[in-house]
Amino acid sequence: MFDLSPYDAIVFDLDGVIVSTDEQHYLAWKMIADDEGIPYSREINNRQRGVSRMESLDVLLEAAPKAYSQAEKNEMAFRKNEEYKRGISFLKPGDMLEGMPEILALLKEKGLKSAIASSSKNTNTILERLELSNWFDAVVSGSDIKASKPDPEVFSLAAQWLGLDPAKCLCVEDAKAGIESGRGAGMKTLGIGPSTRGISDFHFEETRDFALALGISLS
Ligand code: BG6
Ligand code: MG
């Protein structure tokens, strides 16, 4: 059983932890890469996890055969976000990752606080679509921070808004940059999926495995 007793709160990343919008990010960047003739892969996409939109674009452009002006970069980031927004426009509560609704309910039942710490400026839209706008005790998004993950700012701010010592918070992340961010803020870290294997304090391959370790029975 996973022991929650050391924590007063769990601070969740959003994309790839609560909901599989990480796949929509991948597809939208893939469209840009294909339009521009830039080689792109899942490995490159893994390096974009947790990283802000403009920094993600810089990761994509590392393999570009030509240089792009700032105006062109802004236009590409805009185009990517329009495609991404189309991709998430059909999101519904049932699209949460397996076991996540049960995990969120269990935390409330146990009296633990929960928060979101995301680099995404689409955070509020996603939470609305999942009908989670009023669920969390604190929501820190890409619009609230100056430096995106791996900088600790987003997790530090979440602990501050919760009014808690970061040492009493558990960071749950699917991104290497996110684990570094949570750890930098002084939290214990729990990684989900292949990008966080071997670098977090605790690790599960999927959210459903975390739910099972918490004693939740899933059908
Ligand atoms: C993070 C994603 O949650 O948000 C990144 O893991 C994404 O892939 C970042 O680049 C910024 O998202 P948005 O929605 O502001 O473009
Ligand atoms: Mg993520």
Side-chain angles (χ1 to χ4, degrees):
M1 278 281 272
F2 187 85
D3 182 16
L4 285 174
S5 66
Y7 312 107
D8 290 336
I10 300 206
V11 184
F12 296 93
D13 171 47
L14 179 64
D15 298 313
V17 167
I18 301 283
V19 63
S20 65
T21 39
D22 51 326
E23 184 63 14
Q24 305 304 328
H25 280 294
Y26 166 77
L27 292 171
W29 283 126
K30 173 105 176 64
M31 182 199 78
I32 298 292
D34 289 349
D35 284 355
E36 302 291 327
I38 301 170
Y40 189 57
S41 63
R42 293 275 175 185
E43 286 67 35
I44 296 171
N45 175 244
N46 278 341
R47 290 177 46 223
Q48 295 174 309
R49 284 176 191 268
V51 173
S52 73
R53 195 178 309 161
M54 291 312 285
E55 287 168 287
S56 292
L57 176 61
D58 287 336
V59 172
L60 179 96
L61 293 181
E62 282 172 16
K66 60 168 242 192
Y68 288 86
S69 68
Q70 192 54 51
E72 286 171 321
K73 285 189 190 181
N74 292 346
E75 186 279 329
M76 287 161 85
F78 176 81
R79 199 152 32 103
K80 181 266 174 177
N81 195 48
E82 290 301 298
E83 179 65 13
Y84 177 69
K85 285 196 292 186
R86 259 191 297 280
I88 62 170
S89 61
F90 300 105
L91 268 190
K92 51 186 187 317
D95 293 327
M96 268 187 265
L97 284 164
E98 196 182 356
M100 198 41 79
E102 291 84 355
I103 294 172
L104 296 178
L106 180 79
L107 298 182
K108 280 246 197 295
E109 205 183 294
K110 287 187 174 292
L112 265 83
K113 289 188 172 176
S114 58
I116 293 289
S118 171
S119 301
S120 172
K121 295 187 172 168
N122 290 294
T123 293
N124 289 336
T125 307
I126 294 169
L127 292 179
E128 265 165 42
R129 298 220 191 291
L130 299 179
E131 296 177 9
L132 287 177
S133 294
N134 299 313
W135 184 274
F136 295 96
D137 300 289
V139 174
V140 186
S141 80
S143 309
D144 300 308
I145 52 173
K146 288 188 206 70
S148 98
K149 301 169 189 176
D151 189 283
E153 183 180 7
V154 68
F155 281 99
S156 296
L157 205 52
Q160 197 183 313
W161 288 4
L162 286 170
L164 291 174
D165 179 349
K168 300 291 281 177
C169 301
L170 177 68
C171 147
V172 179
E173 262 290 348
D174 69 317
K176 181 171 182 280
I179 294 293
E180 289 169 9
S181 173
R183 181 169 291 141
M187 298 183 186
K188 283 271 188 252
T189 59
L190 186 152
I192 307 274
S195 302
T196 58
R197 209 180 281 145
I199 59 166
S200 49
D201 297 304
F202 311 100
H203 183 264
F204 294 99
E205 286 305 323
E206 293 178 15
T207 48
R208 69 166 279 124
D209 301 325
F210 181 31
L212 294 174
L214 289 170
I216 294 166
S217 42
L218 299 169
S219 50

